[in-house]
Amino acid sequence: MAAGIAVMALAAGCSRDASSPKGEGRPAHTPIVTISADQAVSPVPPWRMPSVQVTDDNVAERKEQAAQALARGRLFGGPDDAIPLYYALRRFDPEDAVANAGFDRSIRRLIVSGDEALAQLDRDPLSLRRAHEIAAVARAVAPANVDIVEYLARLDRADEAQEANRLGEEALNAGRLGVAGEPGQALAQFRRALELRPNDMRANQGIAAVESAMIRRAELAAERDDYASAERELDAAAKVRPPAPSVDDARARLAMQRIVRVNALRDAGLSALMRQGGIDEARRHLAVMLRIAPTGDPATRELRERIDLATHYGLFRPGQVFTDAMQGAIRGPQMVVVPHGAFRMGSEENEGQESERPARNIRFDRGFAMSRTEITVGEFRRFMQATRHRARASRRGYSTAYDERSGNLVRRGNVDWQSDYTGRPARDNMPVIHVSAKDAIAYAEWLSAQTGQRYRLPSEAEFEYALRAGSRGRYPWGDGVPPSRAGNFTGAADVSPSGRRWRNAFPGYGDGAWGPGPVASYRPNAWGLHDMAGNVSEWVADCWHDTFRRAPRGGEAWINPGCRSRVIRGGSWASAPEELRSAWRQGSDANNTTARIGFRVVRDI
């Protein structure tokens, strides 16, 4: 054994395996240098072994020094620290059990210090440099030690994680979030860092920042009314780190913002509808709402309905019942708003008569109002008292009334609009009869003058459209016998005051009346109109034509100036079942008055 040995400085890059007594040369581990976005960690210089002199005279003293240094945790700072001392002792005497055991304990303590430095990485960025300094020592003194190799692998993973974090932060700052986890994007880099180093705080913070950036993108999209993109951004954000309470909170905020925005557009649209010509502006607001509102949004539905109503009904709603004010603090007849729509007018080849053909499609782009019942005696009386009009039957001195003894309609004197179907005085709630088409037109013109609105007789198309009320059957109620209380029709169960019965009637049906009944005594149809079929037939505005050939394609009345024959629609209390069909029509002299014919009016809206 040599009398003395001095251990000179060894560079990390050319060290020998000190765990081997013979000290065969081994290539050293080369450290990975990383540069993060917020710090620059330079490569640590190679660790150089301090020079330690060991002789026969001081070997015991060196062992004591080494043991005390190890006990105090001084591992490699200088020549008086544990690793340089034990390293020199082992070189002096490779078989020294105390020196070898002390060296092994020092290496273990070194690795523990390195792992402690790595554990501090989230709280102290400088700890990574400390871990690299420890690695430099480890490579210099025991590069082949299994525990050292494993520690260096852990350090490599930490370095790679830091590099992934740096790249993730660069991508994040550049707006490359990587919503689908594409390589090179921020989210993929941060997740890679977590794979290398689970629970890496910097990576977790980066992922949270990606989530926040996606939420911000959603907020910006919402500010542009692009809620579809906002939803996609939030859906992507929800996948970043589920469960995602921050995304849920943002989703709730944007949902409320969306509701507020939609409601504001609704209010602006409704306000526009109150102004002349504001429908186009309201439609523009609706277009934005349809793009941004959730499916089934009530505000969007409301504005769409109000625009539709304004387009087709003005200030009214379908089915609405109203009356117009008249002079003298009285009200006009109750009117029902008939919905706009389309229907097939007339009868097909296998039904009815030639005068009801050809059947054709009619469309009403705007609704209209029709009197809820036939005009009553009381309503007609106001007209007669307020004007100098002389009704046709009054001037002529007679009308056609029902004779109970013979069961026929006969001419009877002193019968006019004030009379019932037999010629006796009529109650005010009965439908006015014994009026001509010209009397009915005069009443409608008086209503127009009194209210400032346009009242008129319905067109033939309007009457059939309102009578059918959306049905397509042979009769307004469908086919076959009418249901109970459907109207005042000829029923086999009806009995006259003297016990007469109808020879041609609906089997099994009875309505409890013989002759016209008070208006609204029976159930209304689907659109709220009473007695469209039955009770009394009614004058309409059209002149009589034998067929519908060359008839107008719209719903307007077909009128020839000076025509003497007008159309009657709707069956009466004395009509055969065939005449109660929806398509039934008949012509009559405009001056005709009878116990079977009355009228109702229509008002434009």
Side-chain angles (χ1 to χ4, degrees):
M1 182 180 297
I5 184 168
V7 180
M8 306 304 292
L10 296 176
C14 58
S15 65
R16 295 180 179 275
D17 185 359
S19 63
S20 171
K22 297 183 182 289
E24 294 87 352
R26 300 285 182 96
H29 180 83
T30 302
I32 295 177
V33 180
T34 66
I35 301 176
S36 70
D38 59 352
Q39 63 177 324
V41 179
S42 300
V44 297
W47 185 73
R48 305 184 70 82
M49 183 78 72
S51 178
V52 177
Q53 185 75 29
V54 180
T55 66
D56 290 331
D57 295 333
N58 69 3
V59 65
E61 180 183 353
R62 293 301 191 197
K63 289 181 181 180
E64 180 62 24
Q65 288 177 337
Q68 291 180 4
L70 179 59
R72 293 170 182 168
R74 297 196 329 269
L75 298 179
F76 58 86
D80 294 332
D81 292 329
I83 288 177
L85 287 168
Y86 280 124
Y87 189 88
L89 288 167
R90 294 176 75 231
R91 297 283 292 182
F92 179 76
D93 183 3
E95 305 299 328
D96 190 324
V98 172
N100 285 326
F103 182 80
D104 291 341
R105 288 196 302 273
S106 299
I107 293 300
R108 289 196 294 272
R109 180 69 64 84
L110 182 70
I111 294 171
V112 169
S113 298
D115 285 332
E116 288 175 349
L118 292 176
Q120 293 294 319
L121 184 59
D122 291 330
R123 293 184 292 276
D124 181 8
L126 296 179
S127 65
L128 185 61
R129 182 180 182 86
R130 175 71 173 167
H132 272 286
E133 290 172 348
I134 292 171
V137 175
R139 293 190 195 97
V141 299
N145 182 282
V146 173
D147 293 333
I148 293 294
V149 170
E150 291 177 353
Y151 167 71
L152 294 175
R154 290 194 291 275
L155 178 59
D156 283 347
R157 288 196 294 272
D159 284 337
E160 291 179 36
Q162 291 297 90
E163 176 68 3
N165 282 329
R166 183 186 70 79
L167 294 174
E169 287 158 1
E170 285 184 353
L172 178 64
N173 292 333
R176 302 192 309 274
L177 304 183
V179 295
E182 299 94 330
Q185 303 295 300
L187 187 58
Q189 293 292 355
F190 291 131
R191 284 179 172 163
R192 170 62 178 160
L194 285 177
E195 290 176 2
L196 293 165
R197 189 169 178 269
N199 301 317
D200 185 291
M201 182 179 295
R202 186 175 171 189
N204 282 323
Q205 290 173 343
I207 288 175
V210 170
E211 180 188 79
S212 296
M214 291 178 181
I215 291 174
R216 183 55 184 157
R217 283 185 178 181
E219 292 169 344
L220 293 174
E223 291 175 7
R224 301 190 304 271
D225 283 338
D226 187 0
Y227 285 92
S229 293
E231 285 292 336
R232 288 194 294 272
E233 291 289 353
L234 290 178
D235 289 343
K239 299 174 183 177
V240 172
R241 50 173 190 167
S246 297
V247 178
D248 293 339
D249 291 344
R251 204 183 293 276
R253 287 197 310 274
L254 293 190
M256 181 56 65
Q257 175 182 326
R258 192 180 198 179
I259 291 172
V260 171
R261 173 68 171 141
V262 168
N263 287 343
L265 288 167
R266 184 268 317 275
D267 293 343
L270 294 178
S271 178
L273 290 177
M274 302 302 293
R275 301 191 294 272
Q276 185 71 24
I279 289 182
D280 288 341
E281 180 183 346
R283 285 174 175 156
R284 288 193 292 272
H285 291 309
L286 178 63
V288 178
M289 294 172 71
L290 290 172
R291 180 166 57 82
I292 71 174
T295 302
D297 174 67
T300 304
R301 185 170 58 250
E302 178 184 3
L303 182 57
R304 194 206 310 257
E305 289 174 353
R306 290 291 294 276
I307 291 174
D308 186 70
L309 291 174
T311 302
H312 300 295
Y313 307 103
L315 300 177
F316 297 94
R317 291 181 176 272
Q320 181 178 344
V321 178
F322 69 93
T323 60
D324 283 323
M326 301 172 63
Q327 298 173 18
I330 59 176
R331 310 292 300 186
Q334 284 192 338
M335 307 297 291
V336 177
V337 178
V338 175
H340 77 97
F343 82 114
R344 188 159 179 81
M345 182 177 180
S347 61
E348 305 296 344
E349 294 298 327
N350 60 347
E351 177 199 334
Q353 51 198 8
E354 188 62 28
S355 64
E356 300 162 8
R357 293 189 284 272
R360 66 195 196 281
N361 296 323
I362 301 292
R363 180 168 190 82
F364 295 97
D365 290 324
R366 189 172 177 88
F368 55 89
M370 178 175 278
S371 55
R372 180 169 164 265
T373 68
E374 302 108 336
I375 299 302
T376 66
V377 172
E379 289 167 337
F380 199 79
R381 189 187 309 281
R382 294 174 187 167
F383 158 64
M384 294 297 291
Q385 291 172 345
T387 67
R388 295 181 179 180
H389 180 80
R390 292 193 65 202
R392 177 65 178 173
S394 301
R395 287 186 286 114
R396 193 166 51 189
Y398 68 86
S399 184
T400 301
Y402 177 74
D403 177 51
E404 175 67 24
R405 287 179 299 177
S406 65
N408 295 317
L409 291 171
V410 299
R411 178 185 293 185
R412 181 163 292 168
N414 298 319
V415 174
D416 64 8
W417 63 270
Q418 302 174 85
S419 306
D420 70 3
Y421 79 111
T422 64
R424 292 188 290 270
R427 300 191 303 276
D428 277 358
N429 66 345
M430 298 295 289
V432 66
I433 51 179
H434 306 296
V435 290
S436 68
K438 295 179 180 179
D439 294 333
I441 292 171
Y443 174 82
E445 291 173 348
W446 173 73
L447 275 182
S448 298
Q450 286 283 304
T451 63
Q453 303 296 335
R454 183 174 181 239
Y455 281 84
R456 54 184 173 80
L457 294 184
S459 70
E460 190 175 359
E462 288 171 335
F463 191 96
E464 184 175 335
Y465 176 64
L467 178 146
R468 289 184 181 276
S471 69
R472 278 298 304 150
R474 180 181 180 86
Y475 301 104
W477 58 85
D479 297 317
V481 177
S484 175
R485 304 299 297 169
N488 185 0
F489 313 133
T490 50
D494 293 335
V495 182
S496 76
S498 64
R500 291 182 178 277
R501 294 182 181 272
W502 301 110
R503 289 193 297 271
N504 184 10
F506 289 107
Y509 185 78
D511 50 50
W514 191 275
V519 298
S521 295
Y522 302 93
R523 291 185 301 177
N525 71 7
W527 290 347
L529 300 165
H530 292 269
D531 304 317
M532 292 295 294
N535 216 32
V536 296
S537 298
E538 302 177 26
W539 292 111
V540 295
D542 300 63
C543 296
W544 173 255
H545 297 85
D546 290 339
T547 70
F548 287 140
R549 294 182 179 87
R550 298 186 300 278
R553 301 305 298 178
E556 68 273 17
W558 190 5
I559 298 177
N560 305 112
C563 70
R564 300 182 59 183
S565 184
R566 298 278 176 161
V567 176
I568 298 168
R569 293 301 299 252
S572 75
W573 58 275
S575 296
E578 178 69 12
E579 297 172 349
L580 287 161
R581 291 179 299 106
S582 297
W584 179 82
R585 61 194 294 264
Q586 181 176 304
S588 178
D589 189 289
N591 290 317
N592 188 25
T593 63
T594 173
R596 296 175 57 179
I597 303 175
F599 72 98
R600 73 180 70 216
V601 292
V602 159
R603 174 199 187 280
D604 292 337
I605 57 174

